[in-house]
C-alpha cells in the first residue's frame, strides 16, 4: 500500500500514461521492480572498503515543485527504516581510498530518497535520524576528538563539504555520480530531466552497470545509433523503469505484425514513448487506424512508420480532423485516404489552421477540391507563405492554377520550394522584387 | 561568441510587420529567433576544478602519502547540465500597430529599451499610406466589417478630394500650434513656425501635419498621411469622414506605416531577416542616426523648457514691478513739492 502511493505520484509524472487501466498495470510492474532497486542500493558501494560497516547515507533528496507530499508521507517511513543507516556527525567520504581505520566513514552520497521536500519534511528527517544512531553508536569504538594521531592519519582525514541533502538541480550531484556522468557523455540533457523531480530521483538511484546498461544494450540492439540515444533518453527517461522482458515482448509483437527491423528503429527514434505502451494498447491503436481510415494493412503500416506519434498521441484530435475533412471541408472518403497516405501529418494538424488555409486556397485562390487533393502539401505549409506568394503572382499576372490552361502553376511548386527558386523559376522575378513587393502588403 | 553576440545586440531596429500578425506574436517570434542564434554559438571548453587528492609523494621511495592539488574535470558547468546559456531577452516595442495594419515597427533590445522611451518623448511624426474604397460604409470602418450603407460615388473628382484634404490639413495646423504651448509672440517661436517645426511635445489628440492624395481611381484612392499621436483606427475613421465630406461613404482597405520617426521602409527587416546577424547589423547601422536625432530633440526640449521658463519669469516680473510701484507710492509720503515742504516746516515736524 505504501509502495503504491509512491508509485502513484511517480506515475503521474510519467508522460504518456493517461489511461487508468494501463496505470494499474504500470504500478504492478514497478512494484515488482522496487525490491530490485532496494537490493541494488543496499549492496552498491562506491568504496571497496575492507570492512563493510554501516554506510552512513546523507539523506539526499530532490526538491519537488508542486508535487503533493500527502501521497508520499506513508512511504517515507518505509524508506527511512530501510534506506538510512547511521548518521554520523563527521560525514567524510572518499572517492576511492581504502578505509584505514574505523573512524573513516564511507558514505554514498548519491543515494537519495524519493521524499518530498516540504520544509516541514526536511525538519522531520534529521530528527528521525538522530534517533537511529543512538542504538548503533554502541557498536563502534568511542574515539575522542582530542586524541593524538599521526601525520599520516591526519592527512587521510578528508572532510569535504557534504553534498546538499536537497537540491533543485542535478548539477550538485553530477561530479559524485558515475551514472550521471556517463549519461551526460551519452548526450542526455539532464537540465530538462531535472525539471521532473521524480525522474531526477530515479536517475540518481539507478546504478549504471546493473540497470541502465541493459536498457542501453537493448536499445542498441533495436538499431538506435549512439548519437540518437541522448535525445531518446532525454524524452523517454521512463524507459529505465520498464521491465526488459516487457520491452522485448512489445518488439516481438511489432515484428509479428510484419514491421521490419529498420521500420521499428525508425518508429522508436521518432516516437520515443512507443515501447512504453503495452501490447494491448498498441494493438488497439493499430486497429483504430485501420478501421477509421479503411486502409489496407500495408498502407496502415506505412502510415504508422512515417508518423509513429499517431500511436503514442491522443486519438481525439485525429477523430476531429477526420470529421472536419469530411463534413466541413467536403472531401470524399477516397480523397481523404489519398491525402493522408501522402501527408500523414494532416491527421494531427491544428483544426483552426486547417480551416483557414482551406478557406484561402478554395475561396480566394479559387482552387477546386480535385486539384487540392493532388497537392495536399498545401495543408502542411504556413498560411502567410501561401498568401504572400499568391499575391505576388497575382500582381505579376501569373496566378494561373487551372491545369487545363497554359502557364499553369501547380500548388506544390507554389508552397514547397524555397524563396530563391520560387522567384527565379515560377515568378520569373528577382528576390529583391519579391522583398519590395512584400513591403507594400 | 555568445557574450560578444549579446554585446552587439543593444539598441533600436525596425521590423516590417505583415498584416494579420499581432504585435505581441511578432515580438515573441523575434525573441525566439534571437535566442536561437545566441544559443547556437560554439560550446564552452570543458571546465576544471581544483581538488586536493591523496597520492604518493613524488621522488620518494617510501610509501608516504600527501595531498596534491590537481585539476579535475567537472561536469557541473556542462551545457547539458546547465541548460541553454540564454533563456530570455529584454525586447521592447515602440509605437504599436494593430492586427490588420502593417508597416514599420520599431523594436528595442537590451539597453535600447531605454532609447524607446526617449524616442517616445521626442514626439516625432509618422508617415502612413492609407488606401480607401468609395461607395461602402461599415461599422468598424474596415472592408470586412458589417455593411451599414452603400452609396454612389460618381460625382467624386480628384479636385474635390484635394480640397477636402487641404481643409483637413489647415485645421490640424492650427491645432498643432495650440497644443504646442508656445508663445508665438517670441522671436524664436516665430522662426520655428516659419520653418514648420512646431509640434506638441506632450500628450495631445491625433494631429495631422501633412496629408495628400497619391492616387485616385474611383472607387479606390490612396492618401499619404503624416501624423502624430495617432492610432490606426483613428486613421480608418479619417477615411470614413473623408467619404462623408465628399457626400458619399468610404471604407479603409489598408493602413501601412512607411516611416516611424527616423526608421523608414528601407530600414525595416522582413520576416526572412528576423535572425541574429541581420538584427545586429540593423542595430549597428541605425545607432548613429538614433543618437543624432535624440541629441537634437534633447536640445529642442531644453530650448522649449527654457522658453516656457522665460515666459513665466516675464509674467512674474511684470506683476512684481506693478506691485513694487504701489509699494513705493505708499511709502513715499514725504513732501512732493517745495510748497508741501514749506508747509511741513511751518507745522513744525
Amino acid at each position: 500500500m505504501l509502495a503504491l502511493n509512491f508509485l502513484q505520484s511517480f506515475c503521474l509524472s510519467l508522460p504518456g500514461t493517461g489511461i487508468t487501466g494501463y496505470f494499474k498495470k504500470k504500478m504492478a510492474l514497478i512494484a515488482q521492480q522496487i525490491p530490485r532497486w532496494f537490493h541494488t542500493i543496499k549492496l552498491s558501494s562506491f568504496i571497496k572498503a575492507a570492512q563493510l560497516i554501516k554506510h552512513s547515507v546523507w539523506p539526499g533528496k530532490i526538491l519537488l515543485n508542486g508535487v503533493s507530499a500527502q501521497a508520499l508521507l506513508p512511504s517515507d517511513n518505509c524508506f527511512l527504516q530501510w534506506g538510512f543507516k547511521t548518521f554520523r556527525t563527521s560525514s567524510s567520504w572518499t572517492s576511492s581510498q581504502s578505509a584505514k581505520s574505523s573512524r573513516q566513514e564511507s558514505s554514498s552520497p548519491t543515494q537519495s530518497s524519493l521524499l518530498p521536500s516540504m520544509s516541514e519534511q526536511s525538519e522531520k528527517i534529521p530528527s528521525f535520524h538522530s534517533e537511529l544512531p543512538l542504538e548503533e553508536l554502541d557498536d563502534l569504538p568511542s574515539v575522542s576528538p582530542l586524541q593524538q594521531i599521526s601525520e599520516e592519519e591526519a592527512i587521510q582525514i578528508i572532510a569535504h563539504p557534504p553534498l546538499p541533502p536537497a537540491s533543485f538541480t542535478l548539477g550538485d550531484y553530477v561530479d559524485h555520480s558515475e551514472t550521471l556522468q556517463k549519461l551526460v557523455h551519452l548526450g542526455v540533457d539532464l537540465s530538462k530531466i531535472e525539471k521532473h523531480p521524480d525522474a531526477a530521483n530515479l536517475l540518481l538511484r539507478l546504478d549504471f552497470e546493473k540497470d541502465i546498461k541493459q536498457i542501453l544494450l537493448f536499445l542498441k540492439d533495436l538499431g538506435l545509433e549512439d548519437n540518437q540515444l541522448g535525445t531518446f533518453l532525454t524524452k523517454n527517461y521512463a524507459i529505465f523503469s520498464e521491465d526488459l522482458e516487457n520491452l522485448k515482448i512489445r518488439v516481438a509483437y511489432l515484428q509479428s505484425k510484419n514491421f521490419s527491423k529498420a521500420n521499428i528503429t525508425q518508429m522508436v527514434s521518432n516516437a520515443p514513448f512507443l515501447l512504453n505502451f503495452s501490447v494491448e494498447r498498441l494493438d488497439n491503436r493499430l486497429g483504430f487506424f485501420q478501421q477509421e481510415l479503411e486502409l489496407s494493412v500495408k498502407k496502415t503500416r506505412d502510415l504508422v512508420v512515417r508518423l509513429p506519434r499517431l500511436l503514442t498521441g491522443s486519438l481525439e484530435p485525429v477523430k476531429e480532423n477526420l470529421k472536419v475533412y469530411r463534413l466541413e471541408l467536403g472531401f470524399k472518403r477516397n480523397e481523404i485516404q489519398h491525402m493522408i497516405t501522402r501527408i500523414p501529418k494532416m491527421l494531427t494538424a491544428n483544426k483552426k489552421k486547417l480551416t483557414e488555409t482551406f478557406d484561402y486556397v478554395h475561396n480566394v485562390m479559387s482552387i477546386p477540391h480535385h486539384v487540392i487533393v493532388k497537392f495536399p502539401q498545401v495543408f502542411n505549409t504556413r498560411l502567410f507563405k501561401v498568401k504572400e506568394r499568391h499575391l505576388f503572382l497575382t500582381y505579376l499576372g501569373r496566378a494561373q492554377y487551372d491545369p487545363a490552361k497554359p502557364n499553369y502553376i501547380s500548388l506544390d511548386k507554389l508552397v514547397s520550394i524555397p524563396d530563391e527558386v520560387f522567384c527565379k523559376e515560377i515568378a520569373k522575378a528577382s528576390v529583391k522584387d519579391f522583398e519590395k513587393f512584400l513591403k507594400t502588403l | 561568441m555568445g557574450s560578444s553576440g549579446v554585446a552587439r545586440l543593444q539598441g533600436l531596429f525596425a521590423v516590417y510587420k505583415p498584416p494579420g500578425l499581432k504585435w505581441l506574436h511578432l515580438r515573441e517570434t523575434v525573441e525566439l529567433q534571437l535566442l536561437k542564434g545566441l544559443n547556437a554559438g560554439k560550446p564552452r571548453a570543458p571546465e576544471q576544478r581544483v581538488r586536493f587528492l591523496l597520492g604518493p609523494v613524488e621522488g620518494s621511495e617510501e610509501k608516504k602519502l600527501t595531498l596534491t592539488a590537481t585539476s579535475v574535470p567537472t561536469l557541473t558547468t556542462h551545457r547539458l547540465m546547465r541548460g541553454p546559456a540564454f533563456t530570455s531577452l529584454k525586447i521592447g516595442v515602440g509605437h504599436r500597430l494593430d492586427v490588420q495594419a502593417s508597416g514599420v515597427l520599431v523594436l528595442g533590445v537590451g539597453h535600447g529599451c531605454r532609447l524607446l522611451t526617449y524616442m517616445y518623448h521626442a514626439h516625432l511624426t509618422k508617415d502612413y499610406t492609407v488606401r480607401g474604397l468609395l461607395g461602402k460604409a461599415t461599422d468598424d470602418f474596415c472592408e470586412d466589417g458589417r455593411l451599414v450603407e452603400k452609396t454612389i460615388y460618381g460625382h467624386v473628382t480628384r479636385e474635390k478630394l484635394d480640397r477636402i484634404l487641404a481643409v483637413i490639413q489647415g485645421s490640424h495646423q492650427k491645432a498643432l500650434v495650440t497644443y504646442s504651448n508656445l508663445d508665438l509672440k517670441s522671436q524664436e517661436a516665430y522662426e520655428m513656425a516659419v520653418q514648420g517645426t512646431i509640434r506638441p511635445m506632450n500628450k495631445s489628440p491625433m494631429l495631422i501635419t501633412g496629408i495628400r492624395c497619391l492616387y485616385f481611381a474611383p472607387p479606390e484612392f490612396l492618401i499619404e498621411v503624416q501624423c502624430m499621436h495617432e492610432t490606426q483606427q483613428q486613421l480608418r475613421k479619417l477615411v470614413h469622414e473623408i467619404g462623408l465630406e465628399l457626400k458619399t461613404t468610404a471604407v479603409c482597405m489598408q493602413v501601412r506605416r512607411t516611416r516611424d520617426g527616423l526608421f523608414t521602409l528601407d530600414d525595416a527587416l522582413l520576416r526572412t531577416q528576423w535572425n541574429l546577424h541581420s538584427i545586429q547589423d540593423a542595430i549597428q547601422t541605425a545607432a548613429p542616426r538614433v543618437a543624432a536625432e535624440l541629441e537634437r530633440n534633447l536640445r529642442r526640449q531644453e530650448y522649449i523648457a527654457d522658453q516656457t521658463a522665460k515666459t513665466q519669469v516675464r509674467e512674474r516680473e511684470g506683476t512684481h514691478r506693478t506691485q513694487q510701484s504701489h509699494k513705493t507710492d505708499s511709502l513715499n509720503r514725504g513732501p512732493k513739492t517745495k510748497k508741501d515742504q514749506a508747509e511741513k516746516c511751518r507745522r513744525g515736524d
Side-chain angles (χ1 to χ4, degrees), chain A residues 231-329:
Chain A
T231 39
F232 179 92
L233 291 174
T234 312
K235 290 221 189 99
N236 189 9
Y237 43 80
I239 202 165
F240 293 127
S241 53
E242 292 281 331
D243 207 4
L244 200 58
E245 285 78 39
N246 283 337
L247 294 175
K248 291 192 175 146
I249 291 172
R250 286 160 199 167
V251 173
Y253 166 76
L254 287 175
Q255 281 173 339
S256 73
K257 290 281 173 185
N258 295 330
F259 284 99
S260 76
K261 207 162 172 309
N263 282 347
I264 297 179
T265 315
Q266 193 187 347
M267 279 164 66
V268 168
S269 65
N270 285 344
F273 290 104
L274 191 68
L275 293 178
N276 290 18
F277 280 44
S278 67
V279 171
E280 241 185 275
R281 202 166 179 212
L282 287 174
D283 201 29
N284 286 341
R285 288 286 168 96
L286 286 169
F288 167 81
F289 283 108
Q290 189 162 6
Q291 279 166 10
E292 276 291 315
L293 301 176
E294 291 161 0
L295 293 172
S296 73
V297 176
K298 184 176 181 309
K299 283 202 172 158
T300 325
R301 222 182 299 143
D302 289 335
L303 180 82
V304 166
V305 167
R306 273 184 74 180
L307 196 66
R309 67 164 196 244
L310 287 173
L311 292 182
T312 58
S314 170
L315 291 180
E316 292 309 316
V318 176
K319 289 184 199 160
E320 204 165 331
N321 276 1
L322 286 172
K323 282 220 175 77
V324 162
Y325 288 124
R326 195 163 49 93
L327 301 169
E328 203 174 327
L329 306 188

Side-chain angles (χ1 to χ4, degrees), chain A residues 362-382:
Chain A
H362 186 58
N363 297 329
V364 176
M365 290 165 74
S366 315
I367 297 181
H369 280 85
H370 63 266
V371 178
I372 299 180
V373 170
K374 287 206 196 90
F375 307 109
Q377 303 92 326
V378 72
F379 287 116
N380 206 11
T381 51
R382 306 294 302 275

Side-chain angles (χ1 to χ4, degrees), chain A residues 97 155-156 160 170-171 174-175 181 184-185 187-191 194 384 388 419 435 438-441, chain B residues 16 49 51 54 65-66 74-76 78-83 102 254 256 265-266 268 270-272:
Chain A
Q97 313 304 314
I155 281 182
Q156 283 159 19
H160 289 282
L170 284 174
V174 72
D175 285 322
Q181 284 169 6
V184 171
H185 288 309
V188 178
D189 195 342
L190 292 180
S191 64
E194 70 190 13
F384 69 80
E388 283 169 4
D419 271 344
E435 285 176 6
L438 285 180
K439 287 193 181 175
T440 64
L441 281 181
Chain B
Y16 190 87
R49 59 184 174 146
R51 300 276 321 278
L54 211 53
L65 293 172
T66 182
T74 176
L75 280 179
T76 13
H78 197 272
R79 149 73 186 79
L80 292 175
M81 291 306 306
R82 288 239 284 231
S102 60
Q254 183 198 44
R256 179 173 142 247
L265 275 182
D266 298 325
L270 283 171
R271 205 194 291 258
T272 46

Side-chain angles (χ1 to χ4, degrees), chain B residues 16-230:
Chain B
Y16 190 87
K17 178 183 116 48
L21 185 64
K22 289 190 187 148
W23 64 267
L24 198 59
H25 293 340
L26 188 151
R27 183 210 160 277
E28 283 165 4
T29 312
V30 168
E31 187 177 353
L32 270 174
Q33 293 293 321
L34 286 175
L35 285 175
K36 221 158 91 176
L38 286 171
N39 286 328
K42 65 176 191 314
R44 286 181 283 238
E47 289 194 17
Q48 309 215 313
R49 59 184 174 146
V50 174
R51 300 276 321 278
F52 290 97
L53 295 180
L54 211 53
V57 174
E58 286 158 23
S60 130
E61 299 89 26
E62 316 155 354
K63 272 207 214 157
K64 244 180 105 177
L65 293 172
T66 182
L67 292 173
T68 40
T70 39
S71 271
V72 183
T74 176
L75 280 179
T76 13
T77 48
H78 197 272
R79 149 73 186 79
L80 292 175
M81 291 306 306
R82 288 239 284 231
F86 297 95
T87 43
S88 75
L89 276 177
K90 227 174 157 192
I91 299 185
V93 177
H95 296 110
R96 300 189 293 251
L97 282 169
D98 61 13
V99 184
Q100 290 137 334
S102 60
V104 176
L105 183 66
V106 178
L107 299 176
V109 194
H111 299 313
C113 297
R114 175 185 288 267
L115 297 178
L116 279 175
T117 324
Y118 296 153
M119 292 296 272
Y120 176 79
H121 289 304
H123 297 278
L124 300 168
T125 55
K126 303 180 205 70
D127 272 356
Y128 286 84
T129 52
V130 180
R131 201 180 286 272
L133 186 74
L134 293 168
K136 273 203 320 191
T138 55
D139 58 347
D140 62 351
F141 315 127
C142 290
E143 209 185 347
D144 51 1
R146 188 175 61 88
L147 190 64
V148 169
E149 194 180 339
K150 274 187 124 163
T151 54
I152 52 163
Y153 48 85
H155 57 277
V156 179
T157 60
R158 177 94 192 230
E159 289 77 31
K160 286 189 189 161
L161 182 63
D162 286 337
R163 207 176 303 147
I164 285 169
L165 296 180
V167 164
I168 292 175
Q169 179 160 355
S171 63
H172 281 262
Q173 199 73 27
K174 186 143 193 335
L176 270 174
V177 174
T178 327
Y179 282 104
S180 68
N181 292 332
L182 278 182
D183 180 16
L184 260 192
K185 296 205 183 93
S186 67
Q187 179 64 20
E188 298 90 347
Y190 169 73
E191 278 167 12
M192 274 172 69
V194 158
Q195 282 166 13
T197 57
I198 289 194
R199 58 180 201 270
M201 294 304 274
N202 37 28
K203 268 196 173 172
S204 77
M206 170 166 99
L207 292 171
I208 296 179
T209 54
I211 184 166
R212 64 181 178 133
C213 173
L214 292 177
Y215 172 79
F216 182 76
E220 282 187 25
F221 62 92
L222 185 69
I223 53 174
E224 187 184 11
V225 185
Q226 233 181 39
C227 50
M228 52 195 299
H229 305 159
E230 83 295 340

Side-chain angles (χ1 to χ4, degrees), chain A residues 133-153:
Chain A
L134 288 173
E135 300 126 22
E136 284 166 322
L137 267 176
D138 298 338
D139 304 286
L140 297 157
S142 52
V143 181
S144 156
L146 299 173
Q147 195 176 342
Q148 294 282 344
I149 49 169
S150 66
E151 272 295 311
E152 263 195 21
E153 279 187 0

Side-chain angles (χ1 to χ4, degrees), chain B residues 144-333:
Chain B
D144 51 1
R146 188 175 61 88
L147 190 64
V148 169
E149 194 180 339
K150 274 187 124 163
T151 54
I152 52 163
Y153 48 85
H155 57 277
V156 179
T157 60
R158 177 94 192 230
E159 289 77 31
K160 286 189 189 161
L161 182 63
D162 286 337
R163 207 176 303 147
I164 285 169
L165 296 180
V167 164
I168 292 175
Q169 179 160 355
S171 63
H172 281 262
Q173 199 73 27
K174 186 143 193 335
L176 270 174
V177 174
T178 327
Y179 282 104
S180 68
N181 292 332
L182 278 182
D183 180 16
L184 260 192
K185 296 205 183 93
S186 67
Q187 179 64 20
E188 298 90 347
Y190 169 73
E191 278 167 12
M192 274 172 69
V194 158
Q195 282 166 13
T197 57
I198 289 194
R199 58 180 201 270
M201 294 304 274
N202 37 28
K203 268 196 173 172
S204 77
M206 170 166 99
L207 292 171
I208 296 179
T209 54
I211 184 166
R212 64 181 178 133
C213 173
L214 292 177
Y215 172 79
F216 182 76
E220 282 187 25
F221 62 92
L222 185 69
I223 53 174
E224 187 184 11
V225 185
Q226 233 181 39
C227 50
M228 52 195 299
H229 305 159
E230 83 295 340
T231 63
Q232 289 78 46
Q233 193 61 17
Q234 284 171 335
L235 290 170
R236 293 191 190 101
K237 195 172 176 194
L238 178 73
V239 168
H240 172 79
E241 280 163 7
I242 290 173
L244 292 177
E245 289 290 317
L246 289 168
K247 300 197 175 62
T248 173
T249 48
V251 289
C252 174
M253 293 209 304
Q254 183 198 44
V255 174
R256 179 173 142 247
R257 192 191 275 161
T258 46
R259 179 183 66 87
D260 184 348
L262 41 86
F263 290 97
T264 56
L265 275 182
D266 298 325
D267 309 317
L269 297 174
L270 283 171
R271 205 194 291 258
T272 46
Q273 296 161 317
W274 295 349
N275 51 49
L276 184 65
H277 291 289
S278 319
I279 290 177
Q280 280 175 337
D281 293 336
I283 293 175
Q284 302 293 325
T285 338
R289 287 180 10 219
V290 168
E293 183 69 39
L294 287 179
E295 178 79 38
R296 212 180 314 145
N297 272 286
L298 203 65
R299 267 188 273 125
R300 185 199 158 94
Q301 281 184 354
E302 281 170 2
Y303 161 73
I304 286 176
D306 220 19
Q307 281 289 298
T308 43
K310 272 192 197 159
T311 42
Q312 279 170 9
V313 163
R314 247 182 259 134
E315 280 165 19
R316 251 188 283 123
E317 267 182 5
T319 49
H320 188 64
R321 222 176 278 130
T322 44
Q323 273 178 13
Q324 274 274 356
S325 52
H326 283 311
K327 241 180 168 181
T328 44
D329 278 346
S330 60
L331 278 177
N332 198 2
R333 290 191 201 280

